[in-house]
Structures are given as C-alpha cells and as structure tokens.
Amino acid sequence: AKAREYLLRLFADLGSIDALVLGCTHYAFLLPIIREYFPSIPIFEGSGGTVRYLAQRLEEEGLLREDGSGKVEVLASGGPAFIEKFPKFLADISEIFAEEAHRLK
C-alpha cells in the first residue's frame, strides 16, 4: 500500500512519457504496480540480465543448486522489522526469479 501511494505521487508529476527505464534491479519487485500506471508503454528493466549473470557465476564456481538444496544466509542492517518481514520478501523474490529463469530458458 505504501509503495503504491508513493509511486502514485511520483508518477503524477511525470505527465506523458513514451517509455520507462528502471535503473536498479530491485525496481523489478515494483513492476506489477508500475505496469498498472503505465499499461501501454515499453518498460525496460535489467533484472533478467542480472539473474543470467548470477546463474553463470554460480555455475562457474560450482555453487548453482537447481534442486533447492542450497543454503541462504542473510546479513541485513535493516533491524528487527526487516528481519520479521524477510520470509515473505524472500518468497516474493524467489517467485519473481523463478518466473524469470523459466522465461529465459
């Protein structure tokens, strides 16, 4: 809800635009909300390239685990509120990256 409200205020000042470039990989998490405001313009974002590069590097290092047996260690400076919300955040990220990885195959 807060993200949607923030984006509404941000986009209200843009006026008419021909395309939108999302310059940070974490903006992909907001793409469904952004697409609501801009349903018909091209939106360019780089998370697919980041995912491909990460998969390549993990494979090169022998760390790629496609069977779900990998371990994730999270170091965060966000405090208890962030840590409390992290499981849902991780589930959302996992879903987005799984969809992207499937689309890229």
Side-chain angles (χ1 to χ4, degrees):
K2 288 183 181 182
R4 183 172 265 107
E5 291 170 16
Y6 171 77
L7 290 172
L8 178 61
R9 286 193 311 270
L10 181 69
F11 296 152
D13 295 333
L14 287 180
S16 177
I17 61 173
D18 296 320
L20 185 62
V21 176
L22 306 180
C24 293
T25 57
H26 60 280
Y27 290 160
F29 302 118
L30 298 173
L31 193 53
I33 297 170
I34 294 170
R35 181 52 69 200
E36 289 177 23
Y37 293 107
F38 301 107
S40 60
I41 66 167
I43 298 177
F44 302 95
E45 56 92 18
S47 65
T50 301
V51 170
R52 286 190 299 274
Y53 179 73
L54 175 60
Q56 175 188 340
R57 294 291 298 136
L58 290 171
E59 187 171 18
E60 289 171 0
E61 298 295 326
L63 299 171
L64 187 61
R65 305 282 185 268
E66 294 187 21
D67 63 359
S69 66
K71 176 182 172 188
V72 175
E73 182 176 347
V74 178
L75 305 173
S77 61
F82 175 80
I83 300 300
E84 182 179 300
K85 294 177 183 177
F86 189 75
K88 180 177 180 349
F89 179 70
L90 184 60
D92 292 345
I93 291 171
S94 297
E95 182 178 327
I96 290 168
F97 285 140
E99 288 173 10
E100 183 66 17
H102 179 71
R103 186 179 70 79
L104 297 173
K105 286 185 177 181

